[in-house]
């Protein structure tokens, strides 16, 4: 089955540590995204990538870093510079350019990773 | 700046009653519009989407939404709510040829037996 996987489901981090959240998709999608979700605030975009080896900052990129070395993978690192990292993190993908207009903008979401800083 | 507003944070309806969740957006042109549903601790699932054409769109699980250009709204409706519909619902706006989404803050739906 095609889809998006995120691991781990739950992650605990001590203050001052960097942690990396995994996101893998086998949908052959060009674009991938990372969102942060906090209660009552909806989803906020951290980083997105429209193509391999390229990515752009979203609205709340400070304290986070990403890489896009492979089309199917878009890992997110939460660094010690992120002041309040406890949140639910969602990864998404979309077909991106080159596909039909009607599938261009639809995003497909993974199951999420809950990060807690101890 | 683009924005998506869901004015209702929480809504409680009785099982079998009708439902309408409100969504308003702010954008200069007609965007792509989406409704997603999220169960606790899960990812988001697409309910329906509007790109163009008929302004009343049908989605999964018996949901529908109507795009009203004059009101910049895209409200989600269901004629008869089931207990399994209890979840959080997000409205989202996608911009053509610009691969980003803007999400509303969500509406939590509780269903009374």
């Amino acid at each position: 089955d095609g889809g998006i996987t995120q691991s781990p489901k739950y992650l605990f981090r001590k203050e001052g540590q960097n942690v990396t959240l995994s996101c893998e998709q086998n949908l052959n999608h060009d674009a991938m995204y990372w969102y942060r979700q906090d209660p009552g605030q909806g989803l906020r975009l951290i980083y997105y990538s429209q193509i391999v080896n390229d990515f752009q900052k979203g609205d709340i990129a400070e304290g986070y870093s990403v890489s896009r070395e492979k089309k199917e993978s878009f890992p997110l690192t939460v660094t010690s510079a992120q002041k309040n990292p406890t949140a639910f993190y969602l990864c998404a993908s979309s077909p991106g350019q080159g596909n039909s207009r009607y599938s261009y903008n639809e995003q497909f979401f993974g199951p999420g990773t809950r990060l807690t800083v101890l | 700046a683009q924005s998506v507003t869901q004015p209702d944070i929480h809504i409680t309806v009785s099982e079998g009653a009708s439902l309408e969740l409100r969504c308003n957006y702010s954008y200069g042109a007609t965007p792509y519009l989406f409704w997603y549903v999220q169960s606790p601790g899960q990812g988001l699932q697409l309910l329906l989407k509007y790109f163009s054409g008929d302004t009343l769109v049908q989605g999964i699980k018996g949901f529908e939404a109507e795009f009203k250009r004059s009101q910049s709204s895209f409200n989600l409706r269901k004629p008869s709510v089931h207990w399994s519909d209890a979840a959080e619902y997000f409205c989202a706006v996608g911009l053509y040829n610009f691969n980003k989404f803007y999400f509303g803050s969500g509406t939590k739906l509780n269903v009374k037996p």
Side-chain angles (χ1 to χ4, degrees):
Chain A
D1 287 335
I4 302 174
T5 58
Q6 291 186 242
S7 61
K9 186 171 179 63
Y10 299 97
L11 185 58
F12 298 90
R13 188 194 93 174
K14 293 181 180 179
E15 285 194 21
Q17 286 183 336
N18 293 355
V19 290
T20 297
L21 283 59
S22 169
C23 178
E24 304 276 335
Q25 54 98 359
N26 61 4
L27 300 167
N28 199 34
H29 285 172
D30 287 321
M32 296 186 75
Y33 310 80
W34 274 106
Y35 292 92
R36 172 181 170 138
Q37 187 177 22
D38 298 282
Q41 295 194 45
L43 278 69
R44 293 183 290 168
L45 182 64
I46 304 172
Y47 269 98
Y48 64 105
S49 167
Q50 296 188 4
I51 198 168
V52 175
N53 293 322
D54 186 44
F55 49 82
Q56 288 80 39
K57 292 182 179 180
D59 301 317
I60 56 165
E62 184 176 353
Y64 300 97
S65 65
V66 293
S67 63
R68 187 85 188 277
E69 298 176 1
K70 298 186 295 183
K71 186 175 186 178
E72 60 269 23
S73 179
F74 191 41
L76 173 75
T77 297
V78 184
T79 75
S80 56
Q82 170 48 236
K83 296 288 186 272
N84 184 21
T86 294
F88 190 54
Y89 291 86
L90 286 161
C91 179
S93 70
S94 70
Q97 294 181 348
N99 290 272
S100 74
R101 178 173 184 265
Y102 294 99
S103 66
Y104 178 78
N105 253 335
E106 180 175 336
Q107 294 194 357
F108 297 79
F109 284 82
T113 293
R114 184 165 298 281
L115 172 64
T116 302
V117 173
L118 303 174
Chain B
Q2 296 79 20
S3 68
V4 182
T5 302
Q6 293 181 246
D8 303 307
I9 299 173
H10 289 99
I11 283 185
T12 298
V13 300
S14 297
E15 190 168 17
S18 63
L19 171 70
E20 182 170 30
L21 303 182
R22 296 181 290 165
C23 174
N24 293 91
Y25 67 90
S26 172
Y27 181 59
T30 300
Y32 296 164
L33 298 161
F34 305 83
W35 274 99
Y36 284 87
V37 61
Q38 184 183 35
S39 297
Q42 303 296 318
L44 275 67
Q45 180 184 22
L46 181 70
L47 284 175
L48 47 78
K49 58 191 176 187
Y50 173 79
F51 291 148
S52 66
D54 192 347
T55 57
L56 184 63
V57 294
Q58 303 297 320
I60 63 171
K61 304 184 180 186
F63 285 92
E64 65 179 26
E66 185 172 13
F67 169 58
K68 293 186 177 180
R69 185 190 305 275
S70 62
Q71 299 176 17
S72 296
S73 70
F74 189 57
N75 294 349
L76 182 72
R77 302 193 295 245
K78 187 169 184 178
S80 177
V81 170
H82 187 263
W83 63 266
S84 61
D85 294 324
E88 190 160 18
Y89 293 79
F90 291 93
C91 181
V93 166
L95 307 181
Y96 178 66
N97 208 31
F98 187 61
N99 221 346
K100 286 179 68 174
F101 267 33
Y102 295 90
F103 285 85
S105 55
T107 298
K108 283 190 177 176
L109 173 64
N110 295 318
V111 180
K112 293 191 301 185

